[in-house]
Structures are given as structure tokens and as C-alpha cells.
Amino acid sequence: MERRKFIRNIGLSGALTGFGGVVSVKGSSLFRNQNDSIKGTTFNLNYAPHFGMFKNHAKDLEDQLQFMYDQGFRSLEDNGLMKRPKEDQKRIAHKMTKLGMAMGVFVIDGGGNWKTSLTTGKKEFREAFVNECKKAVEVARLVNAKWMTVVPGFFERKLSMGIQTANVIEALRRGAEVLEPHGLTMVLEPLSDTPELFLRHADQTYMICKAVNSPSCKILYDIYHMQKNEGHLISNMEACWSEIAYIQIGDNPGRKEPGTGEINYENIFKYIHEKGYKGILGMEHGNMHPGKDGELALIEAYRQADPLL
């Protein structure tokens, strides 16, 4: 049976019925047996889970990191890292260093808070964003991070698109001036959450990155959002590839793991691998099924979609 259909059929048939760590599929203990046999084997692409994704297997932050590592994941994504107490940041950094794991993106709130929009050109918003960039430098240094997510904010109806775009470019240039000396990169994320958001398309983000003209301002290509907003995923990624520095994952509809929606992740991962992408792919989605069985099914979904070498 085709691998994608196999994963999908598991979800549609309600086959995740095991409650002792065993998932029953037509009488077999598929996920437990496969998971045990490949435990610790790294994936061919560098997928990054987030805290809470495997909460039924581990509760403490360090234990969750250990579980991720044991399943073959070599990176972590933590959007809310800047809001964590400094002691937690240190604990995370220490455990990741010990395991040899890399940190994916975290969110710069000064630009990511949709209530404060860089489109307006208002000095107070621009300065707040620059100050958050300065704080992000300290957090990045502590956890050895390289990328941070930025969302410019809401569309400003009182201003033309050209003026809004110029305002965003100016603010991002200021932010890049803070990050560039440290070798850090803010990644701009076009989103689909609401049509009122300013940044929604890959080509729009590509144009802004070209205008900012800094290695510290690139694209975060979230496959879930881009499928919703524009589709043609591979061709659009190809057109914008030179400015893409980070990728996020989520199937559509539902924003769950690969194989649970309409996106052909096997083809997309194959394309990304053939492009020679060595960066992180953030697993910014939920789990299709609850409990330990659902978490094991999620891991198996990535094993099935991961490109062969």
C-alpha cells in the first residue's frame, strides 16, 4: 500500500486503539515495534518538535528533550522561548548542549504581536521592535539560537500598500542592524490566520527581504500557511528559494502531522532534500490523535514521509 494512504487509513479507520503503548492495526503492534527498532536513528531532514508534542511520554522540559532525541530528532523549536524564565532558558540550553541538539526559531514579540503593527510607520512600534531585537540577541546567545520569527502585524487600512511596505522595510532594516553583527537572522512569516494580516504571500515576503538586503532578514516558509494562502508549494518555494532560511510544517486541513491532510509531504520533503537544505524544519502543528499512541503515530508519520537517501 502507498505510504501516504497507509498513514491516512490509520486515521480514518480509528485504528489507534491501543492503550498500553501498543497501537493495533489489523491485529499488529505496528508503531511500537517499528519505533523500538529505529529508536535513536536520526532523520534525513532536520525536523524540530516543540515542547508539549510528546507530553504523554515526558513531562519535565529536560525529559521531553531526551525523549525527542531518543526518537531521532536533533533540534527543538520553541516559539515562546523569550517569555520563559531565564532559569528555564538555561536548563533548556544545558540539556540541548549535552545532547548536541540545535535550537530552531523563537518569536520576537515586538514584531510578532499583531496589536503592534510595523505597517503604520509609528515610531513607538518601530522602537519597540528594535528593543525586542536587542533582547532577542541575549536570548539567542544563551541558547545558541540563530533564527527568530517576525510578523510585521496588521494591514493598515488608512495607508496604501506601497507606504505600508516601505514602513515595514524601514523597521526591518533597523532590526537587521541589531542582529547582523551577531550572525543572527530574523525570518519573516507570511500567515493565513486572518486576511487582516499584512504579510500573507511568499512573493511579497521575498520582495521585502530583497529590499531590506541583509543576511539577517530572510523568509520563514510555513508550508501549512502557504498551502492555505496560495498553493503551488514547490514552484513557489523554488521561486523564493534564495531567501528561504527556515521551514515549518503542518498538514492542511487541521494543521496536524504529515499524512493527515491534502499536502503531499513525501514529494515536498523529497524536493527540500534534493535542494540540499541543511536547515531546520519546525514541526509547528498539533497531534492528530491523543495520548501516547497518537504521539507514536506522529513519529511514524515522519518516518514514512522522510526522504530516502
Side-chain angles (χ1 to χ4, degrees):
M1 183 182 292
E2 183 183 1
R3 289 188 295 175
R4 276 183 62 81
K5 290 181 181 178
F6 182 67
I7 293 291
R8 183 174 292 134
N9 286 346
I10 292 171
L12 292 175
S13 65
L16 298 172
T17 57
F19 292 96
V22 178
V23 181
S24 175
V25 182
K26 294 185 177 179
S28 68
S29 301
L30 175 69
F31 289 130
R32 164 56 68 87
N33 292 340
Q34 286 196 3
N35 185 261
D36 284 350
S37 67
I38 59 178
K39 186 175 181 179
T41 303
T42 58
F43 292 87
N44 294 319
L45 288 175
N46 190 3
Y47 310 110
H50 55 79
F51 287 123
M53 182 165 274
F54 304 118
K55 63 184 179 181
N56 292 286
H57 281 88
K59 300 296 183 183
D60 185 76
L61 295 178
E62 287 100 329
D63 291 342
Q64 290 185 56
L65 285 167
Q66 185 67 57
F67 180 82
M68 293 173 193
Y69 182 87
D70 288 345
Q71 307 313 308
F73 298 106
R74 296 296 179 260
S75 294
L76 168 77
E77 183 173 282
D78 190 17
N79 284 337
L81 182 66
M82 283 189 71
K83 294 181 179 180
R84 293 189 184 277
K86 192 169 185 178
E87 287 306 310
D88 283 348
Q89 294 173 358
K90 289 180 178 179
R91 286 198 300 134
I92 293 167
H94 177 75
K95 183 64 174 182
M96 292 182 69
T97 298
K98 184 177 180 180
L99 294 173
M101 294 180 70
M103 176 62 77
V105 293
F106 62 86
V107 174
I108 296 181
D109 289 326
N113 187 337
W114 299 347
K115 296 179 181 179
T116 59
S117 182
L118 302 180
T119 58
T120 64
K122 292 182 179 179
K123 182 179 179 181
E124 59 266 33
F125 292 161
R126 184 171 61 248
E127 293 304 320
F129 169 65
V130 171
N131 287 334
E132 288 300 307
C133 287
K134 293 176 180 177
K135 294 177 185 177
V137 169
E138 298 306 313
V139 175
R141 181 183 291 116
L142 184 63
V143 301
N144 196 29
K146 297 180 180 178
W147 305 276
M148 44 233 56
T149 304
V150 169
V151 178
F154 281 123
F155 187 86
E156 177 52 63
R157 296 178 182 275
K158 297 179 181 179
L159 299 175
S160 70
M161 192 65 177
I163 297 298
Q164 291 182 75
T165 301
N167 290 338
V168 169
I169 291 169
E170 175 60 25
L172 295 176
R173 284 177 176 169
R174 293 280 306 281
E177 289 173 357
V178 174
L179 301 176
E180 194 168 331
H182 304 278
L184 303 177
T185 302
M186 56 181 160
V187 283
L188 311 183
E189 184 178 14
L191 297 171
S192 64
D193 300 272
T194 168
E196 294 183 348
L197 285 165
F198 169 79
L199 198 63
R200 290 180 51 79
H201 296 282
D203 62 344
Q204 175 194 15
T205 315
Y206 178 87
M207 182 272 291
I208 290 172
C209 288
K210 287 293 187 182
V212 174
N213 192 29
S214 168
S216 290
C217 183
K218 296 295 180 180
I219 298 172
L220 190 169
Y221 193 95
D222 188 310
I223 296 169
Y224 163 78
H225 288 298
M226 292 301 90
Q227 172 69 0
K228 290 182 66 179
N229 281 357
E230 59 191 31
H232 302 287
L233 295 167
I234 291 177
S235 60
N236 284 335
M237 289 180 77
E238 180 67 22
C240 298
W241 188 260
S242 65
E243 297 299 315
I244 294 175
Y246 197 94
I247 296 170
Q248 286 181 329
I249 303 162
D251 215 334
N252 180 63
R255 201 171 186 176
K256 307 300 183 187
E257 64 264 25
T260 58
E262 65 189 1
I263 301 174
N264 189 335
Y265 266 103
E266 285 194 46
N267 279 355
I268 291 173
F269 287 164
K270 181 175 181 287
Y271 163 78
I272 292 170
H273 177 70
E274 290 177 348
K275 290 294 290 185
Y277 181 75
K278 301 301 182 184
I280 293 173
L281 295 93
M283 297 160 59
E284 196 181 43
H285 58 75
N287 299 14
M288 183 60 139
H289 300 283
K292 287 187 175 181
D293 293 340
E295 293 169 6
L296 294 178
L298 183 151
I299 296 167
E300 178 60 16
Y302 276 90
R303 290 290 177 194
Q304 295 289 348
D306 192 43
L308 299 175
L309 292 177

